[in-house]
């Protein structure tokens, strides 16, 4: 029995190390060295199993290993997708900053300025020396005409023509 364990140890270690390297490749994609080394180790373990137990047993062991790896990878990816890392504080801060920027742009509503280019319907508006990309509510507005910011929709600034500002 001890002799069988000693004879099977290289095969088992190759397959185990190969499986671990394939799992590492799933979570650390890049150059592919862990994945390639893992596949080579699994292949080496399969050849060793074939030499010691016969080809049918080697194929059976390989199929079981591939099935176990598929289940482990699926479980690990599903766990990672639902883990705390998905809801990290850094991501939430970035999301809050985006809402804050949208709120900051709402200050511009009602501000008067002049067109720096023809608005048909998009163009440039000048508001106290600050040039902004603006869009009209649908009207064509000549260059140099007074405009007012009607609303801000995300990064889109909608303006309308005015008689005077």
């Amino acid at each position: 029995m001890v002799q069988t364990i000693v004879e099977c140890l290289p095969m088992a270690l190759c397959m185990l190390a190969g499986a671990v390297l394939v799992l590492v490749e799933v979570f650390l994609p890049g150059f592919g060295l862990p994945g390639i080394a893992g596949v080579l180790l699994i292949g080496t373990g399969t050849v060793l199993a074939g030499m010691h137990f016969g080809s049918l047993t080697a194929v059976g062991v390989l199929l079981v290993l591939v099935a176990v790896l598929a289940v482990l990878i699926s479980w690990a990816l599903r766990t990672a997708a639902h883990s705390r890392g998905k809801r990290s504080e850094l991501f939430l801060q970035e999301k809050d900053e985006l809402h804050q920027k949208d709120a900051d742009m709402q200050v511009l509503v009602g501000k008067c300025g002049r067109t720096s280019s023809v608005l048909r319907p998009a163009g440039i508006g000048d508001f106290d020396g600050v040039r902004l990309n603006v869009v009209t509510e649908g009207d064509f507005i000549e260059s140099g005409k007074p405009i007012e910011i009607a609303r801000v929709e995300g990064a889109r600034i909608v303006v309308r023509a005015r008689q005077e500002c």
Side-chain angles (χ1 to χ4, degrees), residues 44-120:
T44 302
T46 304
V47 169
L48 289 173
M51 288 179 4
H52 188 12
F53 296 110
S55 60
L56 189 60
T57 304
V59 171
V61 169
L62 180 63
L63 289 176
V64 168
L65 181 64
V66 169
V68 169
L69 266 176
V71 169
L72 281 175
I73 290 171
S74 174
W75 173 79
L77 289 176
R78 188 167 295 151
T79 302
H82 297 308
S83 71
R84 180 167 158 64
K86 182 176 131 183
R87 297 178 294 271
S88 72
E89 293 176 13
L90 179 64
F91 178 74
L92 292 177
Q93 287 174 357
E94 289 175 1
K95 192 173 181 181
D96 291 342
E97 286 175 9
L98 290 175
H99 288 301
Q100 183 65 32
K101 288 178 184 176
D102 288 346
D104 289 345
M105 294 294 285
Q106 294 298 324
V107 173
L108 296 174
V109 174
K111 191 150 180 83
C112 288
R114 293 202 169 272
T115 59
S116 296
S117 67
V118 177
L119 304 183
R120 46 178 118 141

Side-chain angles (χ1 to χ4, degrees), residues 27-47:
F27 288 102
L28 300 174
F31 184 65
L33 191 60
I36 293 170
V39 169
L40 289 176
L41 281 171
I42 290 172
T44 302
T46 304
V47 169

Side-chain angles (χ1 to χ4, degrees), residues 102-157:
D102 288 346
D104 289 345
M105 294 294 285
Q106 294 298 324
V107 173
L108 296 174
V109 174
K111 191 150 180 83
C112 288
R114 293 202 169 272
T115 59
S116 296
S117 67
V118 177
L119 304 183
R120 46 178 118 141
I124 306 290
D126 186 358
F127 301 91
D128 295 331
V130 178
R131 294 170 52 103
L132 299 171
N133 289 326
V134 296
V135 178
T136 68
E137 289 180 317
D139 302 333
F140 174 85
I141 303 175
E142 293 286 333
S143 180
K145 300 290 182 179
I147 54 174
E148 173 188 20
I149 297 178
R151 63 185 178 278
V152 177
E153 301 167 347
R156 185 174 179 222
I157 301 171

Side-chain angles (χ1 to χ4, degrees), residues 2-15:
V2 173
Q3 183 181 4
T4 305
I5 292 174
V6 171
E7 290 174 359
C8 294
L9 190 61
M11 174 198 64
L13 288 177
C14 283
M15 289 197 163

